[in-house]
Amino acid sequence: MGTIFLRFQRRMSLDYLALFVSDVGRSLAFYRDILGFDFDQHPKNEGVEGRSGSIKIGIYSRGWLPKLFPQLSALPPLGNPFLLSMTVGDLDVVFNSIQAHTSTYYFTILQPPTIMPWKQRVAFLLDPDGNLVELVSGDHST
């Protein structure tokens, strides 16, 4: 029988990520200034779009959700059901640089670089809206 992917003989790939946030400017500052995403424009119409590598990212006000999906207003508030994971070359250098900005930007260091039970070295942050951000060491010697 096979999966839908095999039946259509093509693979889907992630090319766009939309984040619905409580404060577009605050989230823009975090993703641009702390994580290094590229944004060529200033927020307009309650949102802004940029890139991280080949992935396009949109940061939009949560106020757009009921406009786009009126049926969501009848549901309980959505939690933080995703983890944004990025591989970095030198986790210690990146983490130390990020840590130096905790008093200037609205984000939380959840866990410093740690070797996880699955032998991967990672650090975890919470973005300004409490979404999980994972930084993974690109150094495969651990």
Side-chain angles (χ1 to χ4, degrees):
M1 186 104 184
T3 67
I4 292 173
F5 301 130
L6 293 177
R7 282 186 259 156
F8 288 107
Q9 295 184 346
R10 66 176 275 234
R11 294 189 61 192
M12 288 189 216
S13 62
L14 180 64
D15 63 349
Y16 188 81
L17 174 68
L19 298 174
F20 293 92
V21 302
S22 60
D23 184 321
V24 171
R26 187 175 65 185
S27 291
L28 170 62
F30 173 76
Y31 284 97
R32 180 193 59 212
D33 301 343
I34 298 299
L35 298 183
F37 289 17
D38 295 317
F39 292 89
D40 295 334
Q41 53 187 282
H42 295 288
K44 58 183 177 182
N45 297 330
E46 300 181 22
V48 65
E49 293 182 339
R51 297 195 87 69
S52 174
S54 63
I55 306 293
K56 190 173 183 181
I57 182 170
I59 298 175
Y60 304 101
S61 169
R62 284 189 181 161
W64 277 102
L65 284 173
K67 295 173 191 172
L68 295 171
F69 308 104
Q71 65 273 31
L72 287 180
S73 62
L75 299 175
L78 301 175
N80 298 313
F82 79 94
L83 168 107
L84 180 62
S85 181
M86 292 168 286
T87 302
V88 299
D90 187 324
L91 182 58
D92 291 316
V93 169
V94 171
F95 181 80
N96 290 335
S97 175
I98 288 171
Q99 190 173 31
H101 296 287
T102 54
S103 63
T104 309
Y105 294 89
Y106 297 96
F107 70 94
T108 303
I109 294 174
L110 190 61
Q111 178 178 300
T114 304
I115 297 175
M116 302 305 288
W118 52 89
K119 307 294 185 219
Q120 193 174 40
R121 193 157 178 265
V122 301
F124 290 98
L125 311 173
L126 295 176
D127 79 359
D129 282 282
N131 298 307
L132 278 167
V133 176
E134 176 186 51
L135 304 174
V136 180
S137 174
D139 177 6
H140 298 289
S141 64
T142 55

